[in-house]
Amino acid sequence: MYPFGGGSRAAPRRPARPRAFSFALREPSFEERHVGGVNAIVARGDVVLTGGRDGTIREWVAPGVSTLGCSSRLESSEASASSANARSFTAAHAGWVNALTPLAGDLNVLVSGGADRAVKLWRRDAEETETNDGKVGGLTLVSTLERHADYVTRVAAPETNGGAGGGVFVSAGLGQDQVFLWDAETASSNKEGVAAQPLARFGGQTDSAYALATDAAGAVVVTGDNKGVVRRWDARAPHERAARLVGHAGTVRCASVDPTGRLCLTGSSDGAVRLWDLGATRCVQTFSNTHGCSVWSAAPDASWRSVVSGGADGAVYVTDLAKRRSRLLFREAGGVVDLRRDEEATKASSTGSGFDEVLTVWAATSAPDAARWSARLARDDACDRGNSEPVSPGSSLRARAERMSLGSSSRKDSGWFAAGTSPGMSPARRSVGGGGRSPGGVAGRGIDDRREDDALALRTAVIAGAPPVVAHAQLPDRRRVLARDAAGGMALWDVTAFKVVRRWPRLSVSEDGASADASASRERNASAVSFEARSAARFETTLEALKNELGPVSVPSWFAADNRSGSLAVTLSPSGAFQAEGYARELGARDASDETKVNFGVQTLHALLREWAKKRRVYANGARDPNGDVGSDVDVLVSDESKRNQKTFDVDKCGPCDDARLFATPNANDFSPTFFFEPPESPYDPTSAAAGPPGRAVILMDGSSMLGTDVEEALLPEWVVDVAAERYKVPDAPKASFYIAEHKSEEEGRESGRDSSEQKGTQKGTAITSGKVTAPRVLSVRKVCSYVVAKLGLDLNDDVAVEDAVEIFCDGKKLDPSWSLATVREHVWRRGDDLRVTFRVTEAVAKSSSGE
């Protein structure tokens, strides 16, 4: 039976390696905005969906795009960009959301992939319905697909295949042969408890896939890996060998396939954007002059005449594929990880504008904010309007070479520059107008020399995010953690109270008041480095000040903290969670005795799972076997629950695993617990042994939505359930050994011949014990004073404290009565052998004996 009883299932087999248990510490503003960067974005008109590094998928209502005038640049200033309104958010993955895409072009059915090894199918609630807590409903989880052995990097779905809730899609991830074909209808109709299986695994993917794309019908699948190889599969024959397209010199970061499946566009960390003919399996165009850094994202238009691409430096360029020219659209504060053209907004803005195209693009970056940018693009220059010959990136090499000219001299300062060349073109023809080509740029003009005012687009909407935590450090008391965010702000978290107890304001961007938008990229980068250095120095200074305020203290580490999701996450494991303990009175239990100790890890778990444990007991109380008899475990639970409901509660009678009620249950309005942990071990299946163990996704649980069911108990780590049920055998806390003797001055020590080089400054007198004393590490020096008083049989008046009657020394230093033995060992003794302390009886004892 499970520790809580209930149901007729047998207890699961205990794993050889216990699973860790993690929970997130998040700011109250977490429900309102992303924390950290946005990795994926989907936009259609005023509906925008984003997947972030904080593990959430959020829906936003974007402000409308007004009809644009006739000038080549927007008249409004960037400061007039409107903020998108948050509609809903969903805690989707236990890690970064790396990919998000609509299924079969239906915005109400979404597929996501995350760092938790999960592919998830969602149904979006398009209606304005509210949940019981007054919030607008977000996404409903349809199915979790588990097959990937590592991070899911990309998901892709055809635009026309299937219908609502149906259709196929593809997922790709890290590792060998980690590209899978899925059927959404099969996944959504799968029976509970039975893992959905992919339709096929694409064989031959020998390296991790970082790019993935399909055509409109889902017949062609393209991947790009960390070796720079692009592979093309036929989704109708996934087991056939893929065609290899070689040309990139670095990791392929992004890929797109045109609707017909004939052309493919890829971007790589080698800084090049390549256009491939998939039928001929060769590169037809290389754009190596556009970006001076890794290309992270690219989005071609519907006709594949232009592409918008973004790099690690935050610069986004638009490239005319037919004329092989590029120009700067805008520059973001962080690397551009995803770009999405909003065709609906483009159509609405182009109406009556007099221009061939009004470009509207959403950019997701590694910086906290995501933004919509708008620009006007004329299809042809004035000198080219007489040439009505249609252009296409797939036409002949000679025709492409003829179109390489940038136009008349009147266009030379318009911001356009040569983007690249075609294979086979001679070096002499690669220059523009016969001039020399600068490295990474056009004639006479390198990438680093491009002016920021060349940017064509302006920001028209912003999805504001919160700066992520970039550094953290535990204080020596092992209950508080100082965290620093990317904006220079700092917060002091109490891990056992699940809240911020102190804050520091954010730093200004520049010491001399310079604008954050530096006119030159090199100046901006230098400013960023300076800001980071000042922020880090301030963090270290504040940390040292807090340590000084705390004074010497030594508590063993009982949890691990990380900030990979942008927020603090605390991880507990059975090997370390029970290392630290404290006295109940010092933790706020005024009626507790001086000897009562509680374990930090046990009490933290009780505070987190207290409400779930109550629901679990109620659920177990209603569990009956087929004969209608209540199990014996339930009888015990009913008895235990009646004891808990008694008005009197004595913390001194609590066992090592009992809930001492010292750490309060988190306030749901301020802190909504989210738990994540590895799944239970799967039973051995000999039929799948040859194919290797299937991947299992990290489990994500919303603590506020847990109901106390059998399924929840089966998923939670076994030792965590045992603690919540107050059945876990808590190991004894670490002990400390010490010798204690009477203290003598240095002169007395020399006379008695007891001075030694090993114990210089610690002069021993008569020992009060025959050997060493073993006590908990948390034992205070004050309690050592009480031990000496008891051993010597001293009779003290009520108004004389034990620390006033007896002084304790170590290495000749008088010890603070509040210090623990662990603190003395770490800060005073500083040696590996057993601790040696001495005592001295003060004059307060003589006065107490004389009755003064």
Side-chain angles (χ1 to χ4, degrees):
M1 297 292 290
Y2 292 155
F4 281 97
S8 58
R9 304 187 200 180
R13 178 172 57 89
R14 297 283 171 168
R17 185 175 183 180
R19 297 175 288 153
F21 178 78
S22 302
F23 62 93
L25 296 175
R26 290 165 172 164
E27 296 278 3
S29 61
F30 177 78
E31 296 186 4
E32 302 172 1
R33 58 184 63 190
H34 280 293
V35 177
V38 174
N39 284 342
I41 192 164
V42 175
R44 189 169 299 171
D46 62 347
V47 177
V48 182
L49 293 140
T50 55
R53 297 185 177 185
D54 55 6
T56 64
I57 298 176
R58 301 173 186 262
E59 182 176 343
W60 311 83
V61 179
V65 181
S66 59
T67 302
L68 306 179
C70 298
S71 65
S72 62
R73 184 174 171 88
L74 294 175
E75 301 297 336
S76 59
S77 66
E78 189 170 353
S80 64
S82 303
S83 296
N85 297 320
R87 181 179 183 270
S88 67
F89 90 99
T90 302
H93 288 269
W96 290 13
V97 179
N98 291 327
L100 180 67
T101 188
L103 182 65
D106 185 1
L107 205 60
N108 293 326
V109 183
L110 301 166
V111 181
S112 65
D116 55 359
R117 308 187 295 273
V119 176
K120 297 189 177 184
L121 188 63
W122 305 90
R123 188 171 299 279
R124 170 176 167 265
D125 182 10
E127 302 296 329
E128 293 289 340
T129 58
E130 292 189 356
T131 59
N132 294 332
D133 55 3
K135 300 175 183 177
V136 177
L139 304 179
T140 301
L141 180 63
V142 176
S143 181
T144 298
L145 308 178
E146 299 176 311
R147 195 66 186 181
H148 285 274
D150 209 329
Y151 292 1
V152 179
T153 55
R154 291 287 184 266
V155 294
E159 297 180 358
T160 58
N161 191 296
V168 297
F169 59 93
V170 187
S171 64
L174 302 184
Q176 183 178 355
D177 293 333
Q178 293 294 299
V179 182
F180 299 97
L181 180 67
W182 304 88
D183 179 67
E185 186 173 357
T186 302
S188 59
S189 61
N190 209 49
K191 294 181 180 179
E192 182 179 358
V194 179
Q197 297 297 317
L199 292 178
R201 181 202 296 260
F202 292 92
Q205 182 67 48
T206 57
D207 297 288
S208 298
Y210 286 87
L212 177 69
T214 67
D215 64 346
V220 176
V221 175
V222 170
T223 63
D225 64 26
N226 58 325
K227 297 293 181 62
V229 178
V230 178
R231 288 179 174 84
R232 184 212 66 202
W233 277 279
D234 186 343
R236 296 161 294 188
H239 301 293
E240 293 185 1
R241 186 174 180 178
R244 298 174 79 252
L245 295 86
V246 180
H248 282 297
T251 301
V252 180
R253 295 286 183 178
C254 57
S256 299
V257 177
D258 80 322
T260 66
R262 184 170 65 95
L263 298 176
C264 175
L265 193 76
T266 58
S268 169
S269 59
D270 61 7
V273 175
R274 287 179 178 266
L275 184 67
W276 306 84
D277 186 329
L278 294 179
T281 62
R282 68 186 183 93
C283 178
V284 295
Q285 287 189 17
T286 301
F287 304 97
S288 58
N289 297 342
T290 303
H291 292 273
C293 62
S294 176
V295 180
W296 284 3
S297 56
D301 66 351
S303 63
W304 275 63
R305 297 184 58 163
S306 68
V307 61
V308 176
S309 57
D313 62 352
V316 176
Y317 295 89
V318 58
T319 300
D320 188 330
L321 297 178
K323 298 182 179 181
R324 289 184 302 280
R325 62 179 186 175
S326 300
R327 70 157 299 161
L328 180 67
L329 266 183
F330 56 88
R331 188 180 293 275
E332 286 280 13
V336 181
V337 297
D338 196 18
L339 288 168
R340 284 290 181 268
R341 289 179 182 255
D342 190 344
E343 300 296 342
E344 290 191 7
T346 296
K347 292 177 182 178
S349 302
S350 300
T351 304
S353 65
F355 275 71
D356 293 332
E357 180 180 0
V358 177
L359 176 63
T360 303
V361 60
W362 281 91
T365 73
S366 57
D369 298 345
R372 183 183 66 196
W373 298 79
S374 298
R376 301 185 186 90
L377 293 176
R379 287 288 188 188
D380 300 304
D381 297 335
C383 59
D384 297 330
R385 290 189 183 275
N387 182 9
S388 59
E389 179 185 357
V391 294
S392 170
S395 55
S396 67
L397 177 62
R398 176 176 296 181
R400 291 196 305 272
E402 291 175 353
R403 292 195 299 271
M404 188 176 177
S405 173
L406 295 180
S408 62
S409 58
S410 63
R411 296 283 299 174
K412 288 183 179 179
D413 296 328
S414 65
W416 292 94
F417 57 91
T421 61
S422 299
M425 185 173 291
S426 64
R429 298 192 63 185
R430 291 179 183 177
S431 61
V432 180
R437 184 168 61 91
S438 302
V442 294
R445 189 175 181 185
I447 288 179
D448 292 336
D449 298 324
R450 297 171 191 168
R451 301 188 309 272
E452 291 291 326
D453 56 9
D454 282 345
L456 179 65
L458 286 179
R459 188 179 303 196
T460 57
V462 177
I463 296 176
V469 174
V470 295
H472 68 276
Q474 295 185 34
L475 266 62
D477 62 4
R478 303 301 180 185
R479 292 183 59 190
R480 294 178 295 169
V481 178
L482 181 65
R484 172 174 68 90
D485 63 38
M490 294 186 295
L492 186 62
W493 284 88
D494 188 330
V495 172
T496 58
F498 318 106
K499 64 180 180 181
V500 175
V501 295
R502 187 175 174 184
R503 293 186 186 275
W504 288 260
R506 295 175 179 173
L507 284 177
S508 60
V509 174
S510 178
E511 290 179 318
D512 55 6
S515 171
D517 297 326
S519 60
S521 60
R522 280 190 289 264
E523 292 180 6
R524 184 180 61 251
N525 293 337
S527 176
V529 172
S530 174
F531 174 81
E532 175 62 23
R534 290 190 295 116
S535 180
R538 182 195 185 206
F539 176 77
E540 294 298 333
T541 301
T542 305
L543 181 61
E544 288 302 317
L546 290 173
K547 290 180 178 179
N548 293 334
E549 290 179 10
L550 188 61
V553 63
S554 177
V555 177
S557 179
W558 55 279
F559 68 88
D562 70 74
N563 55 276
R564 287 172 293 181
S565 65
S567 301
L568 281 180
V570 175
T571 299
L572 303 175
S573 62
S575 61
F578 308 109
Q579 294 292 312
E581 62 180 6
Y583 287 99
R585 293 196 66 175
E586 296 177 359
L587 295 174
R590 298 180 180 178
D591 297 333
S593 71
D594 292 338
E595 304 299 326
T596 301
K597 298 185 293 294
V598 295
N599 189 282
F600 286 175
V602 168
Q603 300 308 316
T604 299
L605 286 173
H606 278 306
L608 289 169
L609 297 172
R610 188 174 291 132
E611 294 302 317
W612 177 81
K614 292 179 181 178
K615 296 177 182 178
R616 182 68 185 135
R617 291 185 181 98
V618 172
Y619 191 95
N621 190 25
R624 297 176 179 271
D625 64 20
N627 296 324
D629 297 326
V630 178
S632 58
D633 283 0
V634 175
D635 291 333
V636 175
L637 289 170
V638 174
S639 175
D640 291 345
E641 192 65 26
S642 63
K643 293 178 181 179
R644 289 184 179 86
N645 292 332
Q646 293 177 359
K647 293 183 179 180
T648 59
F649 175 78
D650 189 354
V651 68
D652 294 331
K653 295 181 180 180
C654 289
C657 193
D658 291 348
D659 184 0
R661 305 181 186 179
L662 292 176
F663 299 160
T665 301
N667 187 335
N669 295 327
D670 299 329
F671 176 79
S672 179
T674 301
F675 311 131
F676 41 97
F677 43 87
E678 291 292 329
E681 291 183 359
S682 302
Y684 176 71
D685 183 6
T687 61
S688 61
R696 299 290 305 279
V698 178
I699 295 174
L700 177 69
M701 280 190 177
D702 181 1
S704 60
S705 302
M706 295 172 68
L707 303 175
T709 62
D710 289 345
V711 173
E712 292 169 350
E713 182 175 332
L715 292 176
L716 283 167
E718 294 80 2
W719 67 276
V720 173
V721 175
D722 289 347
V723 171
E726 301 182 346
R727 306 281 183 88
Y728 188 80
K729 183 175 176 55
V730 179
D732 294 334
K735 303 291 185 181
S737 298
F738 65 95
Y739 293 93
I740 184 167
E742 184 180 1
H743 181 79
K744 288 188 176 182
S745 64
E746 292 187 8
E747 182 178 354
E748 292 173 330
R750 284 193 297 269
E751 292 176 356
S752 61
R754 296 180 182 273
D755 191 18
S756 67
S757 59
E758 292 183 357
Q759 300 170 7
K760 184 177 180 180
T762 305
Q763 312 304 332
K764 297 194 301 179
T766 304
I768 61 174
T769 61
S770 58
K772 62 183 177 182
V773 181
T774 301
R777 284 169 46 95
V778 73
L779 187 77
S780 66
V781 172
R782 182 178 292 106
K783 291 188 179 295
V784 177
C785 295
S786 300
Y787 174 77
V788 173
V789 169
K791 278 290 185 178
L792 298 180
L794 302 179
D795 187 14
L796 303 181
N797 291 340
D798 294 338
D799 59 345
V800 178
V802 291
E803 59 266 31
D804 294 332
V806 177
E807 296 175 338
I808 305 297
F809 296 83
C810 180
D811 265 3
K813 180 178 181 178
K814 181 181 176 181
L815 303 180
D816 189 312
S818 63
W819 290 1
S820 66
L821 293 180
T823 303
V824 175
R825 171 178 287 279
E826 180 177 342
H827 295 277
V828 181
W829 185 245
R830 297 178 181 175
R831 291 195 280 274
D833 56 341
D834 291 326
L835 185 65
R836 295 180 181 272
V837 298
T838 59
F839 69 89
R840 182 172 65 190
V841 179
T842 67
E843 296 179 356
V845 175
K847 294 181 180 180
S848 177
S849 301
S850 64
E852 295 183 10

